[in-house]
Amino acid sequence: MLHIKELHASIDSKEILRGVNLDLKPGEVHAIMGPNGSGKSTLASVLIGRDGYDVSGSVTYEGQDLLALSPEERAAAGVFLAFQHPVEIPGVGNMYFMRTALNSLRRQRGQEELDAVDFLALAQERMKLVEMDQTFMSRSVNEGFSGGEKKRNEILQMAILEPKLAILDETDSGLDIDALRVVASGVNALRSEGRTMLVITHHQRLLDYIVPDFVHVMAAGQIVHSGDKDLALELEANGYAGLTPGSARVGATA
Amino acid sequence: MTAVKVPVRAAGGVLSELSPGRDGRDLGWLAEARLKALEWVGKNGFPSRKDEDWKYTALDGILAVPFVAAGAGPGPRVTLDLINKAAIDLGGPRLVFVNGHFSPEFSRLTGLPSGAVVTTLAAVLETSPDRLKPFLGHTPGEHHAFAAFNDVFAEDGAFIHFTNDTVVDEPIQLVFFSDTEGVPLMTSPRSVIIADSGSRATIVETYAGLDGDVYCTNVVTEVVLAENARIDHYKVQNEPTTAFHLALLDVRQARGSQFASRSVMLGSSVARHEIRVRLEGVEAEVSLDGIYLPQGEQVHDNTIFVDHVATNCTSHQLYKGVLDDRGHGVFNGHIMVRHGADGTDANQKNKNLLLNDRAQVDTRPRLEIYTDDVKCTHGAAVGQMDDEALLYLRTRGLPLESARGLLVYAFVQEMVDRIELEPLRASLEALVSTRFGSGAHRVQQ
Ligand SMILES: Nc1ncnc2c1ncn2[C@@H]1O[C@H](COP(=O)(O)OP(=O)(O)OP(=O)(O)O)[C@@H](O)[C@H]1O
Ligand SMILES: [Mg+2]
């Protein structure tokens, strides 16, 4: 469902992605690990259409040229990113925001919009999934939320917007142990045949909960290593030493 | 008395063609006051950008138009329907002025308690002119030409008096509608609001007109609050972008009185809303809020002077501007804390959102303090649309325009929320959101 081929991205003539190749099939969960600054968030940014990058290579999503779409068109096509650093939007109510978002997607897809009552019912049901309190819905989007609360709010949005491709960028960082379990089980509940996930993380622990089909290592802007879930354990034990672009070996990429 | 003509050496000179054609009703003191005001303009001329308080707003556009003073008589096109569109009918007492003159057929004066006198300046000039001596006789605006011009030409406006402890629940609406078709009229409404001790009321002023008309509203409203009186004052300025609007709201407050002003500036080519508040009695409180939303080539100037004279008074100001296209906003707020005004609590905040590289804002919060025992804060901020928030909204499916509208509306919403009159709040919400496109609407629930 997603084919990334020789993807390069640079900013101010600094090359950050240096030929990323990745294939994701429907329903698969892929994890990406890798050192700080290796380009993981940049890959996510390019996939959701953040501007400011010089991009070359190709990204085909469900047969379409993803790079040609605006961020909102990508969203309508089912692409979602749980941000590493979700932005605060003072003055915009969280509930209102999510309803507007869902209805924008539904409108773009030619579906009927949900009114406030129907939306509330849906939101309440999905809030249970991430054990989120309703008080967060009447606050401004992410404003004054703790780090962990922001992450939960991202997963709540994912639960409400029901994307086909969900990219989770360090959703586990900032979560305490209990919250990690709650959020991970929320994510697991959203796993389905029609939903593909790309999970960026530094912690093998998350992958104990959200068990990936594949694990990739990104270093210096390339996928340098790919394997199954055991690769994460290996990395946990040995670190990234020796995994440089030069030593790339193509693993079990789907 | 007959027409006086005083040579006015104005910058453009054309306003000088105006001369007061008094009709003999004017008493000695009034004729004298008008003449004095006109002479003042003759001597001092119009303000220019060299004047501190007029520094940022170019008046050339106004001074170049050969205005004529508006006479009485209905406008050719105005209908009740147009008026209701311009100013939502709040259901209570409503005075409608067309081209500055009272229009009984569009007005409604029922539903007032016995302690409330709501009439017109023209009527009081006719029946008991001496009541106006403290107002028209003393010219609160003597130190600038436009207020002085209002002194010269003012013939009508609202005259409102609440006697001791009168409470008026329904908002009193003052609608100033212009219908000048082809004639560049200068209207000079003058309103007087007197709140005796312990009285309470809400006043809503709306200014509007017909697109394409070139005219100038040059208005002065005076409010005098006695001990423990409370007035909530709303002003909606939605004149067509071909018109000019110059306003002075002059407020004097006695001990324990409360005054709140909420201003919404939408219209006019050049608009200046000046507020002066004198806190003369101890423990008086004033809060002044405003939004201004210039776009196209509009200029919106807010000039504020809060004068802390007495001890333990409180003043709050919060003004927010959204500036689009080549729009130009001015916030020129001055707080003076006089010698001996101990226990003053004053704050002032101005925030601006620039939507465009060509939009401009001049913000100048000023504190002038002559005593030690005070708590004063002020601050000004000018920012741009948050690109990160914009991207976030788009990745959730909001089209660019909706995302922009939503963020702009979120910026001004707190101000709209401060409007406690529900139908007025809803109508302003609609006006403001239309201005910022389809994505903008109530974003909190
Ligand atoms: N706007 C930018 N201008 C310059 N350099 C940038 C910009 N954005 C990202 N970079 C650089 O690109 C590199 C990759 O950043 P990215 O955020 O993708 O890393 P990451 O793998 O997500 O790291 P982390 O694990 O710390 O989140 C970093 O060296 C970063 O400093
Ligand atoms: Mg990152």
Side-chain angles (χ1 to χ4, degrees):
Chain A
M1 67 104 61
L2 184 72
H3 307 283
I4 302 173
K5 242 178 113 180
E6 278 306 308
L7 184 65
H8 291 254
S10 49
I11 196 156
D12 301 332
S13 69
K14 177 185 172 192
E15 196 170 34
I16 302 170
L17 298 185
R18 302 194 301 153
V20 175
N21 292 292
L22 207 55
D23 276 311
L24 278 63
K25 295 211 172 87
E28 288 178 351
V29 173
H30 291 240
I32 297 187
M33 306 184 80
N36 294 130
S38 56
K40 303 180 298 295
S41 293
T42 303
L43 174 63
S45 291
V46 170
L47 292 179
I48 53 111
R50 181 190 291 274
D51 62 14
Y53 299 103
D54 283 327
V55 178
S56 66
S58 76
V59 179
T60 313
Y61 169 81
E62 293 199 311
Q64 311 180 66
D65 176 7
L66 190 69
L67 300 176
L69 304 180
S70 67
E72 53 269 38
E73 287 166 340
R74 297 181 199 201
V79 178
F80 177 89
L81 169 64
F83 282 78
Q84 182 175 1
H85 303 291
V87 67
E88 300 193 1
I89 313 182
V92 178
N94 207 21
M95 177 83 88
Y96 176 85
F97 157 64
M98 289 189 206
R99 177 155 69 90
T100 306
L102 180 62
N103 281 335
S104 296
L105 293 178
R106 292 179 70 96
R107 210 165 29 243
Q108 289 183 68
R109 294 171 186 156
Q111 295 164 332
E112 212 175 300
E113 296 182 27
L114 292 189
D115 64 19
V117 177
D118 289 344
F119 181 78
L120 181 65
L122 173 73
Q124 276 169 340
E125 182 204 312
R126 302 295 148 92
M127 269 165 356
K128 281 189 210 136
L129 217 56
V130 289
E131 294 182 16
M132 199 156 118
D133 194 277
Q134 183 145 1
T135 53
F136 289 99
M137 297 307 272
S138 53
R139 289 169 59 179
S140 290
V141 178
N142 294 326
E143 194 185 28
F145 286 25
S146 73
E149 288 161 358
K150 283 181 183 164
K151 298 300 173 75
R152 269 186 210 225
N153 205 39
E154 294 293 286
I155 300 307
L156 175 61
Q157 289 170 54
M158 169 174 151
I160 286 173
L161 302 178
E162 301 181 323
K164 284 191 223 162
L165 171 65
I167 305 163
L168 312 185
D169 192 356
E170 296 198 25
T171 298
D172 53 333
S173 61
L175 293 179
D176 65 45
I177 297 168
D178 292 336
L180 180 67
R181 208 168 340 100
V182 170
V183 168
S185 77
V187 171
N188 278 332
L190 295 168
R191 273 179 95 150
S192 76
E193 265 177 35
R195 184 164 297 131
T196 306
M197 295 190 191
L198 190 59
V199 179
I200 298 168
T201 184
H202 286 294
H203 306 292
Q204 187 275 327
R205 197 181 56 203
L206 177 74
L207 305 180
D208 283 342
Y209 294 108
I210 304 171
V211 181
D213 299 303
F214 301 96
V215 175
H216 310 277
V217 177
M218 187 164 207
Q222 292 182 349
I223 302 291
V224 294
H225 205 86
S226 297
D228 62 14
K229 63 181 167 40
D230 295 335
L231 177 56
L233 290 167
E234 225 174 279
L235 293 168
E236 182 82 356
N238 305 323
Y240 296 116
L243 294 173
T244 60
S247 71
R249 85 174 149 84
V250 177
T253 314
Chain B
M1 88 181 247
T2 50
V4 260
K5 208 163 183 137
V6 172
V8 176
R9 280 179 301 276
V14 254
L15 275 171
S16 65
E17 322 253 309
L18 283 171
S19 65
R22 301 272 64 86
D23 61 3
R25 282 178 314 181
D26 287 359
L27 306 160
W29 64 263
L30 182 54
E32 210 173 287
R34 292 195 199 275
L35 187 61
K36 231 178 84 195
L38 193 59
E39 281 171 351
W40 189 95
V41 182
K43 193 159 145 265
N44 298 283
F46 287 91
S48 74
R49 299 180 91 158
K50 285 191 209 107
D51 296 279
E52 274 299 286
D53 278 338
W54 297 82
K55 204 166 159 175
Y56 305 106
T57 298
L59 297 170
D60 320 17
I62 300 179
L63 296 173
V65 179
F67 287 109
V68 295
R77 295 159 298 173
V78 60
T79 60
L80 186 60
D81 208 42
L82 281 175
I83 286 169
N84 285 337
K85 265 196 201 115
I88 184 175
D89 189 346
L90 298 173
R94 186 158 86 144
L95 296 180
V96 175
F97 298 85
V98 176
N99 298 335
H101 294 271
F102 183 56
S103 182
E105 67 270 36
F106 299 132
S107 301
R108 180 175 57 224
L109 285 171
T110 48
L112 284 159
S114 60
V117 174
V118 177
T119 178
T120 66
L121 193 84
V124 179
L125 272 173
E126 199 73 46
T127 57
S128 39
D130 283 351
R131 295 189 70 177
L132 292 170
K133 213 167 169 176
F135 304 98
L136 286 175
H138 89 119
T139 63
E142 206 166 63
H143 58 270
H144 77 69
F146 294 104
F149 253 58
N150 184 281
D151 291 338
V152 177
F153 295 104
E155 284 180 52
D156 212 349
F159 181 90
I160 299 175
H161 181 195
F162 308 111
T163 58
N164 286 353
D165 300 318
T166 299
V167 175
V168 185
D169 293 324
E170 301 225 63
I172 299 168
Q173 261 185 298
L174 310 178
V175 181
F176 297 89
F177 193 89
S178 293
D179 175 13
T180 64
E181 206 179 33
V183 188
L185 291 186
M186 164 112 118
T187 71
S188 307
R190 177 69 161 257
S191 295
V192 173
I193 299 159
I194 306 161
D196 288 351
S197 128
S199 61
R200 275 163 181 268
T202 299
I203 313 278
V204 182
E205 292 185 27
T206 304
Y207 295 84
L210 294 165
D211 281 338
D213 280 4
V214 177
Y215 63 88
C216 179
T217 304
N218 181 36
V219 54
V220 174
T221 302
E222 290 178 75
V223 186
V224 182
L225 294 98
E227 286 189 7
N228 301 319
R230 177 177 176 106
I231 297 288
D232 285 280
H233 182 269
Y234 293 91
K235 172 171 170 176
V236 182
Q237 187 276 106
N238 199 13
E239 313 257 32
T241 52
T242 38
F244 302 94
H245 182 92
L246 298 161
L248 171 63
L249 173 62
D250 185 86
V251 183
R252 275 172 290 157
Q253 294 188 239
R255 166 197 286 266
S257 62
Q258 295 174 301
F259 181 77
S261 151
R262 316 245 180 277
S263 148
V264 178
M265 266 202 192
L266 292 158
S268 295
S269 151
V270 176
R272 184 178 195 269
H273 183 42
E274 177 173 347
I275 304 180
R276 288 189 211 153
V277 182
R278 235 176 106 82
L279 299 163
E280 297 172 336
V282 299
E283 288 164 11
E285 289 176 21
V286 63
S287 81
L288 308 172
D289 296 335
I291 53 176
Y292 46 101
L293 315 169
Q295 58 183 23
E297 308 267 325
Q298 289 182 297
V299 181
H300 286 170
D301 177 333
N302 293 281
T303 295
I304 296 163
F305 179 54
V306 176
D307 194 354
H308 281 264
V309 180
T311 57
N312 297 324
C313 292
T314 305
S315 67
H316 297 290
Q317 296 172 42
L318 176 60
Y319 274 73
K320 281 193 169 185
V322 179
L323 308 110
D324 203 356
D325 307 324
R326 286 174 180 281
H328 180 189
V330 178
F331 177 79
N332 180 13
H334 183 183
I335 299 173
M336 165 93 87
V337 182
R338 304 253 177 202
H339 182 73
D342 295 339
T344 290
D345 180 352
N347 64 60
Q348 182 182 53
K349 222 182 253 162
N350 175 230
K351 295 183 185 173
N352 298 282
L353 179 60
L354 290 172
L355 298 183
N356 204 297
D357 289 346
R358 292 162 306 155
Q360 184 190 339
V361 64
D362 292 294
T363 172
R364 195 165 67 134
R366 267 189 294 167
L367 289 175
E368 204 178 331
I369 303 174
Y370 296 100
T371 183
D372 292 334
D373 177 19
V374 295
K375 208 172 90 196
C376 289
T377 58
H378 68 166
V382 179
Q384 280 165 354
M385 185 72 83
D386 180 351
D387 284 338
E388 201 52 38
L390 208 54
L391 176 68
Y392 190 78
L393 294 173
R394 294 177 75 193
T395 65
R396 298 314 187 233
L398 274 74
L400 178 61
E401 277 315 301
S402 307
R404 281 173 67 90
L406 193 125
L407 291 177
V408 172
Y409 198 79
F411 178 77
V412 294
Q413 175 160 291
E414 86 175 287
M415 308 306 288
V416 177
D417 281 349
R418 288 177 177 217
I419 295 170
E420 283 156 19
L421 287 176
E422 185 43 43
L424 182 66
R425 198 193 54 68
S427 82
L428 288 175
E429 191 175 286
L431 270 177
V432 172
S433 57
T434 318
R435 192 162 187 115
F436 297 124
S438 58
H441 28 69
R442 193 158 184 78
V443 291
Q444 287 281 1
Q445 51 185 1

